Each structure stands twice: as structure tokens, then as C-alpha cells.
Amino acid sequence: MTPAKLAQVVLDAARAVFVARGLDVAILPESTRLERPRNPEHGDYASTVALQLAKQVSVPPRELATALTEELARVPGVASVEVAGPGFLNIRLAAEAAGALARDVVLAGPAYGRSDVLAGQRINLEFVSANPTGPVHVGGVRWAAVGDALHRLLEAAGAEVVAEYYVNDAGAQIDRFARSLLAAARGEPTPEDGYAGQYVAELAGRIVQRRPDVLDAGAEADAEAVFRAEGVATMLQEIRAALADFGVGFDVFFSESDLHARGALADAVARLREQGHVYETDGATWLRTTTFGDDKDRVLVRGNGEYTYFAADAAYYLDKRSRGFDRCVYMLGADHHGYVQRLKAIAAAAGDDPERHIEILIGQLVNLVRDGEPVRMSKRAGTILTLEDFIDLLGVDASRYALARYSIDSPIDLDLDLWTSARRENPVYYVQYVAARTFRVSASAADVGLTRGAPEDFEPGLLDHPKEHDLLKALGDYPAVVATAAELREPHRVARYLEELAGAYHRFYDEDACRILPRGDEEITARHRARLWLNDATRTVIANGLGLLGVSAPERM
């Protein structure tokens, strides 16, 4: 029995008690959640439903809890229910009901843990969005890992999600990039405000090779435009390839220059003006964002008639909403805290609910450390570490797991020696080892003629050892972990859960009384088969969880 099913059983019991006592069933919640007691001696699961409902129906909490225990005692699979403290319910499952979860998990396969808690939501998830003026740097690498994991989580929770990359291919930074490429092609020093690094010289050389006439005297007036177009296109192609090597894909690559070309910025200003929040002063056009909590009003159009980046931000948000997204999630770097209120102000000024239609996540810095010293230099990009550097130093699996393992609002230092080691202190190795071990156990079982057998022949009551019970409870927690991680936008919850599950499996596997494989000429029994179901259920959940993080579940280490 899963925790979700047990929670429904508790709610059904509450309904039965309310009906029997003539209480108003309309106050019953649509759903309830169970907790795992910190002390296992207090039971498998705990419910606070009696405490939550007692005051509303003017019944003492312990009296209501006692009535619930009597109702729950009649439910098959519930071994016992006790009232604790002011009205907590401590519930223990019978071994048969608890053990049945192993079969449910295996039969569900990849679907186990998926839900519809976010069904009906259409979410635009924008992440990475590094300028196409250089390789994806270390901040973008973290968002690539976390953003892709969040994409997978939101879909697992039933949302319709579009992963989007905003290509900043217009504006001053693109002009500086073009000038830097042109200078490199001519063998001139990098402009004072330009882009440096080996990649600039390499890219300039490739453009000249493709367009050998670009530096001819007659074409010099157009040279910067050629380097702008060719440079952005080539850099974006490299970024897409690097992200693909990292296991990250996007549904949409959205061009900022397209907004300019089709007049979307003028349309956005007009829309905001219709809402009554645009005004002119000092020759410029402003949006009155202070009305919505911003620290100052923002310029949309400068006195010279040029649109600002803020105007592009407004046009981009309105474009997302016009495409039918209920919620626009922006994943921004550590230096973008000032964007939170101004983006929310755009939504509010457009007549939207900034608490419902827009969400901004700010990530913190990440550093690589070796021998206690930071690793900051890239051979190709100069002073910044790139996505390619990350993959070279850590590998895809370790990089993705390590970056998704921590809360996004926490800066992290990743120790290269730890994350590349083959020891249990390395979290990704610890979890992947269980993936490999469970696979090897299944393969070894087949070699000796041990199979799970038909589902109807499975005897879940045989999984009655405390270590088996603990592992089953850990497996049962997985769906709630996935749902919570999706709702709170916290992929690190999945990683931490997998480490707890790995620990529960190791304790089960290392317990001599819980041997899965028969020894020598020992006869294969129903208990061996039951434990094989439990082993394979663990493999299923480990693989599902790692898949949400974009990490492989190896068959051998």
C-alpha cells in the first residue's frame, strides 16, 4: 500500500466517522498527506487529520482520533492505529500490505512516481539563455542541469511544459562581439569593451575561411555585419551542441531580434500604455513600475528613440502570455536579483497576476575546487569555466547530479577529488552503485534459475524483516518526493531522497537475514522471489529518480 493510498484510506475513514456522527462532511478536505514519524517505534505513518478537523466540528481532538482508530482498524492491511499526544494517529501496516508495494512499483515501471498534481498547468520554463557571444559559462552550466531536471520534474507532475532558450541576439553586446571578431580576423588587439579568449580568434578564423572576401577593401563597410550574423549563428550552434552533449534540449530557441523585426516592442509599449502605466518625461517613455513595488520607474524608449532592454523584456513576457502559457518561469543567474521586481512589475502593469503568471528563480554561484584551491581558468574561454570544461573535469553524470543536488539559493563549492572518486562519500557514486548492484543481483538470480514469478504468485507478507520494511517505506516515499520537488521547484529533493533510498537498500542487502540469492544447493523459495521483487523495485525507483536528474542508472560500475 502506497502512502497516497493509505492517505485516501484515512480520508475515507474520516468521512465514515462524520456520516455516523451526523457531522458536516463538506468540511472534509479533498486530500490529506501522511508523515513519516521520526521515531520508527511510533509507527509507519502519522496523520494529523483529527487535529485539523476537530475544532471545525466542535469535537475534542482525541475523541475524534479515537473514532478514527476504530474505523481504520477495520481496514484490511492496517495492522494497528494508536492515538498519541493531543490527537495524532500513528498507523502501522501489516507486512502483506506493506510488501505489496514492491510488486506495484515493478509493474508500474517508469510510470511509478508520476502524478497529475500539476495537470492543467501550461508552463513556459526559460533557462540558461546565455548570450551567443561565447561558450556557456559556469553559471549557465548550473542552470542547464537544474533547469533540465526541473523540466523533467514538472512533466512528471502532469504539467505541460515548454523548455525555452532566449537568444539575446540584438543590442550592444552583439555589436561588441562583432567588433571583437573583426579585430581578431585582422590581427588587431581586442577592443577595450570587447570579448577575449582563444574561442574568439578560432571563430574569426572560421568565418574568414567561409567568407574569404569579408576583409577585402571593397567589403569592409559590410564586414562587421557579416561577423555579427556569422558569429552569432556559429556560436549558437556550438552552444546547442554543447548542451546536447550535456543531455539538455530545448523545445524553443526564441530570438530577441525577431521581437524587434516584427514590431513586438512597439506593440508592448502600446499595450502597457492602454493599461494606463506609461508616461513621457525628459524626452523618454517610461513604465511606472513603482506602482507595483519596483524601486524606480523604468525607461522603455530612450530620448533618441531607441528601445531599451527593459522594453524587450516586456515584449518577451507578453509574447509568452500570447502563446497561452499560464505561468512563465524565468531561471536567472546570481547577478539578476534586481530583475525580480521589475519583471513582476511588467506582469502587473499588463493586467496579469504577478503571483500566478510569472515566477523568477535566482541561482547562486558554483565553484570547482581541487586540492582546496578554486579552478577558474578555461583554456579556450580565458578567465571563465565553460560547460565543456565541466564535462572534461567531472563527466556528464557527476556534473548534472552535483549541480542539481543543492538548493538553487545556495552557493556551492564542488570538490573535484570527491566528485570523481569511486567511494561511498561521493553521492553520485553511492547512488549509481545501487543501480548497478540491483541490476547485477537480477542478472545473478537469472543465472541460478531464480525469477520473480507471476505477479499473482508474489507473497508480499514474506517481506517482514525490519530492514525490508524500512526499504519498502523508502520506496513508498518516492511519489510524494517527486510531487513536492515539482511544486516547490526543488530538484535537489530528488537527489537527497535517492541517497536515503540507497542507504536503505545497502542496509537491507548487507543484512544476512535478507539474502536474495540462494546459497549453494539451497532450494529457491517464495521468500527469495519476494526479495527479488523488492530488489527490482529498488532498481526501478533509482532509475526513475536518476532519470529525472538526467543521470544514467548504470548496469555495472
Side-chain angles (χ1 to χ4, degrees):
M1 184 183 298
T2 66
K5 289 181 180 177
L6 182 58
Q8 185 59 51
V9 166
V10 171
L11 203 54
D12 291 343
R15 181 175 297 276
V17 168
F18 271 48
V19 169
R21 291 182 165 227
L23 303 175
D24 183 9
V25 296
I27 71 166
L28 291 172
E30 291 185 4
S31 62
T32 186
R33 288 189 176 183
L34 304 179
E35 300 174 357
R36 287 266 298 274
R38 292 182 180 180
N39 186 345
E41 294 181 0
H42 293 164
D44 299 325
Y45 299 99
S47 172
T48 59
V49 68
L51 291 169
Q52 295 168 357
L53 298 174
K55 187 175 182 179
Q56 298 179 63
V57 293
S58 301
V59 176
R62 282 189 65 89
E63 180 181 330
L64 183 58
T66 299
L68 283 169
T69 63
E70 295 171 356
E71 189 66 33
L72 287 169
R74 303 187 183 98
V75 176
V78 174
S80 66
V81 187
E82 298 173 355
V83 180
F88 294 102
L89 294 176
N90 289 335
I91 306 169
R92 290 180 176 81
L93 292 178
E96 185 172 353
L101 178 65
R103 175 179 54 202
D104 294 343
V105 171
V106 173
L107 296 181
Y112 182 67
R114 302 183 72 87
S115 69
D116 59 358
V117 295
L118 298 183
Q121 293 192 26
R122 192 159 189 263
I123 299 173
N124 180 284
L125 178 65
E126 183 209 332
F127 60 102
V128 182
S129 296
N131 290 343
T133 54
V136 178
H137 60 76
V138 64
V141 176
R142 186 175 191 183
W143 273 142
V146 175
D148 189 62
L150 184 54
H151 182 196
R152 297 164 188 249
L153 271 170
L154 292 171
E155 288 190 331
E160 180 186 348
V161 189
V162 169
E164 187 154 310
Y165 189 115
Y166 183 55
V167 182
N168 295 272
D169 56 356
Q173 85 279 359
I174 300 298
D175 294 336
R176 295 198 306 271
F177 183 49
R179 290 195 295 269
S180 301
L181 291 170
L182 180 56
R186 288 172 170 168
E188 298 172 352
T190 302
E192 186 176 343
D193 61 348
Y195 291 85
Q198 181 182 332
Y199 79 95
V200 175
E202 291 175 353
L203 182 53
R206 288 159 60 188
I207 293 173
V208 171
Q209 192 173 27
R210 288 198 299 265
R211 296 286 302 272
D213 62 331
V214 69
L215 296 179
D216 292 346
E220 188 165 346
D222 300 323
E224 189 175 314
V226 172
F227 278 103
R228 179 185 293 106
E230 293 276 346
V232 167
T234 304
M235 202 68 254
L236 184 58
Q237 185 179 24
E238 289 193 4
I239 288 172
R240 294 177 73 154
L243 289 168
D245 289 342
F246 201 50
V248 177
F250 287 87
D251 303 304
V252 173
F253 280 82
F254 190 97
S255 169
E256 179 188 353
S257 63
D258 180 64
L259 287 174
H260 289 266
R262 55 187 170 88
L265 277 70
D267 293 343
V269 174
R271 162 78 179 275
L272 296 169
R273 192 186 298 277
E274 289 173 3
Q275 297 291 320
H277 304 299
V278 172
Y279 66 95
E280 274 78 28
T281 188
D282 299 328
T285 301
W286 299 69
L287 181 65
R288 192 174 286 104
T289 55
T290 50
T291 301
F292 307 104
D294 199 5
D295 60 339
K296 61 181 180 181
D297 291 344
R298 304 288 172 177
V299 178
L300 292 165
V301 187
R302 298 186 181 93
N304 61 5
E306 291 182 354
Y307 289 100
T308 63
Y309 283 120
F310 182 70
D313 290 338
Y316 184 40
Y317 170 76
L318 291 173
D319 184 272
K320 289 179 178 181
R321 292 283 289 129
S322 73
R323 285 183 272 151
F325 293 108
D326 309 308
R327 196 167 188 87
C328 303
V329 180
Y330 293 74
M331 302 181 74
L332 305 179
D335 57 344
H336 285 69
H337 282 282
Y339 281 71
V340 175
Q341 201 54 52
R342 72 184 72 168
L343 287 173
K344 285 185 172 291
I346 289 172
D352 286 347
D353 181 352
E355 299 306 312
R356 184 165 70 92
H357 293 119
I358 191 167
E359 181 178 346
I360 300 101
L361 306 177
I362 301 292
Q364 293 300 314
L365 297 175
V366 55
N367 297 299
L368 287 180
V369 177
R370 175 185 281 149
D371 298 326
E373 297 294 328
V375 180
R376 293 198 177 103
M377 298 294 289
S378 168
K379 292 180 180 179
R380 184 164 182 254
T383 59
I384 60 170
L385 282 174
T386 68
L387 175 53
E388 291 91 339
D389 297 324
F390 249 83
I391 294 175
D392 289 344
L393 291 167
L394 281 174
V396 172
D397 279 353
S399 295
R400 291 194 57 139
Y401 190 98
L403 292 168
R405 183 179 184 262
Y406 301 92
S407 173
I408 60 172
D409 57 8
S410 301
I412 53 177
D413 293 324
L414 301 182
D415 186 335
L416 284 173
D417 295 327
L418 170 65
W419 286 96
T420 56
S421 67
R423 61 180 194 267
R424 63 184 299 142
E425 289 79 12
N426 176 356
V428 68
Y429 177 83
Y430 187 63
V431 174
Q432 287 187 315
Y433 187 82
V434 171
R437 172 171 274 182
T438 51
F439 180 85
R440 289 200 313 272
V441 166
S442 290
S444 298
D447 290 341
V448 299
L450 170 59
T451 64
R452 293 194 304 263
E456 59 270 21
D457 295 331
F458 171 54
E459 298 183 39
L462 296 175
L463 298 175
D464 56 2
H465 190 279
K467 293 293 190 295
E468 295 165 342
H469 198 57
D470 290 344
L471 180 54
L472 286 161
K473 285 193 290 185
L475 294 172
D477 288 341
Y478 178 67
V481 169
V482 173
T484 301
E487 290 175 304
L488 299 180
R489 320 299 195 234
E490 295 181 343
H492 70 274
R493 289 176 176 266
V494 175
R496 299 308 177 101
Y497 162 81
L498 290 174
E499 292 162 35
E500 293 177 5
L501 176 60
Y505 180 82
H506 281 303
R507 290 186 290 274
F508 153 74
Y509 184 87
D510 294 340
E511 177 65 49
D512 187 63
C514 296
R515 282 185 297 105
I516 302 170
L517 302 177
R519 286 178 175 167
D521 295 331
E522 183 182 357
E523 182 182 354
I524 294 174
T525 67
R527 194 178 294 275
H528 290 120
R529 286 190 286 272
R531 288 174 181 157
L532 186 57
W533 278 96
L534 183 54
N535 174 85
D536 292 355
T538 305
R539 166 78 187 178
T540 297
V541 174
I542 289 285
N544 289 357
L546 286 173
L548 291 177
L549 302 178
V551 178
S552 69
E555 295 178 356
R556 54 179 51 85
M557 297 289 285

